[in-house]
Amino acid sequence: MVSARPAVQALPAYRPGRNPADLARELGVERAVKLASNEVPFPPLPAVVQALSATAGETYRYPDNGAAVLTAALAGRYGVDPAQVVPGCGAVMLCQQLAQSFNDPGTAIAFAWRSFEMYPLLAQVAGARSLQVPLVPSVPGGSPDTHDLDALAAAVDDDTRLLFVCNPNNPTSTAVRRPELERFLDRVPDTVLVVLDEAYREFVTDPDVPDGLELMRGRPNVAVLRTFSKAWGLAGLRVGYLVAEDPAVADAVRRTHVPFSVSVLAQAAAVAALASEEEVGRRVAAVVAERDRLTAALRGRGLEVPDSQANFVWLPLGEPTAGVAAALEARGVITRPFAGEGIRVTVGTPEEDDLFLAALDDVLGAATPDDRPDTLRPGAPVG
């Protein structure tokens, strides 16, 4: 009998956000709302649609294996050499390539926890140890939601080869600021590759949260990950990229890529999106404004919500998390729960967010006092 590796057999299945059309049919309602996958609530950019139409006739050929046009566009945008840039089939695939490139079995990958749910899975597949460092509260007395960079630096041992800093952090939405991040980078040994995972960088409004590409310069053991799936609206085409200060790091990652994994359509769409930066900026501004409105509405209901620097908000509900998420789904609103910890809610359109808030009010109104999150039990402030 053929058996998969034990590490693979032990992997939990990835759970994508549920299809809202399926939920609507199940509930017998006209519409369900999906606020689970951090997509932007806008249709593709007009230039992207045009580029896809113009490129569709080329899909009978293999794509350029190195995505040279996109690589050159990104290098020009960020003022780096093309040898420092590696496009990939989404940032997740690049994370996997990083683990394949730098981790032998028995080495270690360090990261905060909770953070991006793929990090421990990458370590498991690579046969590496996970060095998971607990989050700490971003405000006194709050729930754990931000990186403890001092503890993360202290956790690095002689076997550590790779270290992820998700900034802003997924799923808790918080971001670490420049002084702390610079001190941290100065402490990490130069034998450890620090990857600043900036999938949500475009939504950052705090001026004290640094651009990772600026901090990367002059630090050969730092690389930056970004994606076109979020702000740029290309989630369905799977394209992300890595920028490394040391071209040797980029070369190692390039060697582990799956050939032709950036499709003809993905490359054309990403290049067109980069040329539409003004429109992307307007869309991001709309998301940020709605994020602020949603945050205020949730806080007005007595919920603890950290300051978000992403296109989602975090509700640290603790034990009631699974029940609240299930009850929201029963009312046609799909969110992303992390059992026992909290719910991540993507910022949608104002209409979608109002549906979520109405469903949440219904759920909390129907809950017994003991089933409510601590912040909404008797005596808690409710706006």
Side-chain angles (χ1 to χ4, degrees):
M1 179 178 177
V2 177
S3 297
R5 291 170 50 212
V8 173
Q9 291 178 334
L11 285 175
Y14 180 75
R15 295 177 57 224
R18 191 171 179 193
N19 187 306
D22 291 343
L23 179 60
R25 282 192 295 271
E26 178 183 306
L27 298 175
V29 298
E30 183 176 335
R31 180 191 181 195
V33 175
K34 179 185 175 187
L35 301 176
S37 297
N38 297 343
E39 301 139 328
V40 290
F42 304 106
L45 294 157
V48 166
V49 174
Q50 184 177 358
L52 292 174
S53 177
T55 311
E58 300 176 22
T59 54
Y60 72 106
R61 300 285 193 188
Y62 283 113
D64 168 23
N65 192 44
V69 175
L70 177 57
T71 298
L74 290 167
R77 175 183 174 83
Y78 296 121
V80 297
D81 190 279
Q84 297 173 255
V85 179
V86 187
C89 185
V92 174
M93 177 62 79
L94 287 161
C95 286
Q96 181 172 316
Q97 291 173 234
L98 284 160
Q100 291 173 328
S101 301
F102 295 98
N103 284 97
D104 287 315
T107 60
I109 300 176
F111 48 88
W113 195 252
R114 172 169 297 274
S115 191
F116 183 37
E117 59 195 293
M118 288 301 297
Y119 297 156
L121 304 184
L122 294 170
Q124 194 169 339
V125 170
R129 290 184 296 118
S130 287
L131 299 179
Q132 301 185 15
V133 176
L135 299 173
V136 293
S138 57
V139 296
S143 300
D145 58 22
T146 197
H147 284 68
D148 184 344
L149 292 180
D150 288 336
L152 189 55
V156 170
D157 59 21
D158 292 342
D159 296 324
T160 306
R161 299 291 179 270
L162 194 59
L163 188 157
F164 287 100
V165 177
C166 191
N167 200 41
N169 189 48
N170 176 16
T172 62
S173 81
T174 61
V176 292
R177 293 180 170 87
R178 180 182 298 273
E180 295 88 347
L181 194 50
E182 287 183 332
R183 285 198 301 270
F184 168 77
L185 293 175
D186 290 342
R187 285 186 60 186
V188 175
D190 58 12
T191 55
V192 177
L193 177 63
V194 179
V195 180
L196 303 178
D197 188 344
E198 296 188 332
Y200 301 95
R201 170 63 204 174
E202 291 84 356
F203 301 102
V204 171
T205 54
D206 184 343
D208 292 329
V209 175
D211 183 326
L213 289 165
E214 295 177 5
L215 296 189
M216 176 196 77
R217 298 180 197 276
R219 292 183 168 93
N221 68 323
V222 176
V224 177
L225 268 178
R226 291 190 182 172
T227 182
F228 284 93
S229 293
K230 310 304 180 186
W232 303 90
L234 302 184
L237 287 170
R238 310 306 302 131
V239 56
Y241 58 97
L242 174 112
V243 183
E245 175 67 1
D246 185 352
V249 169
D251 179 66
V253 175
R254 201 175 289 113
R255 289 171 184 268
T256 58
H257 91 293
V258 175
F260 311 117
S261 55
V262 178
S263 72
V264 170
L265 296 177
Q267 177 173 219
V271 171
L274 287 174
S276 303
E277 188 169 6
E278 288 187 10
E279 175 59 25
V280 171
R282 286 190 288 268
R283 293 182 174 197
V284 166
V287 170
V288 167
E290 180 61 10
R291 178 184 76 193
D292 293 345
R293 185 185 78 92
L294 181 59
T295 298
L298 291 166
R299 288 175 176 170
R301 287 161 168 79
L303 284 163
E304 177 187 338
V305 183
D307 290 334
S308 173
Q309 294 297 312
N311 70 328
F312 54 87
V313 296
W314 173 245
L315 305 182
L317 303 181
E319 286 305 315
T321 291
V324 171
L328 287 170
E329 190 166 304
R331 290 160 174 80
V333 178
I334 304 165
T335 59
R336 177 57 71 90
F338 296 84
E341 298 179 63
I343 293 176
R344 190 190 71 195
V345 184
T346 304
V347 176
T349 65
E351 178 191 10
E352 290 171 337
D353 292 339
D354 285 343
L355 290 171
F356 159 66
L357 291 169
L360 182 65
D361 288 341
D362 194 33
V363 170
L364 295 177
T368 64
D370 287 342
D371 289 334
R372 293 186 177 193
D374 290 340
T375 50
L376 290 180
R377 291 181 180 174
V382 178

